[in-house]
Amino acid sequence: MPGALRDKRRPQRRRSGPAEARRRFVLDALTRPRTQAELRDALGMSNSGILHLLRRLERDGLVRPAERVCCTRIWERAKDRAVDPRP
């Protein structure tokens, strides 16, 4: 019991180093469209983990899903809206 109380009082550290490296790797890899499975395997992540990462990058406007072929999602880097005339 005392060990459990001590763990609750210990301040948590943010570990953004590996997460930032994964984000940079995905952005570099998406110089050409890639499948979600290619990115997942290259990073050694789970299906839900890579999807979570890609959705966060999509929310930030950095990547977007290009197309879906059957069950395969293909992702690409988001283009700048000032250059891209699509709404």
Side-chain angles (χ1 to χ4, degrees):
M1 185 75 176
L5 291 175
R6 185 176 58 228
D7 290 340
K8 288 182 180 180
R9 284 186 252 137
R10 185 177 302 159
Q12 293 183 346
R13 292 183 297 152
R14 281 191 69 142
R15 298 183 334 180
S16 61
E20 194 59 37
R22 285 190 296 268
R23 286 174 59 103
R24 270 188 254 121
F25 176 84
V26 168
L27 291 175
D28 290 341
L30 289 177
T31 54
R32 71 172 184 86
R34 307 249 182 197
T35 64
Q36 185 172 322
E38 285 178 309
L39 296 170
R40 179 200 65 213
D41 293 343
L43 289 169
M45 297 178 76
S46 65
N47 287 327
S48 60
I50 192 66
L51 182 60
H52 184 72
L53 175 60
L54 289 167
R55 292 287 182 212
R56 289 184 73 141
L57 290 171
E58 181 184 21
R59 182 197 67 196
D60 294 343
L62 300 172
V63 301
R64 68 182 190 94
E67 61 182 291
R68 188 174 189 151
V69 179
C70 190
C71 295
T72 303
R73 290 185 190 145
I74 299 174
W75 292 82
E76 66 183 6
R77 253 185 149 161
K79 295 174 178 57
D80 187 20
R81 288 219 180 252
V83 175
D84 192 5
R86 289 180 277 169

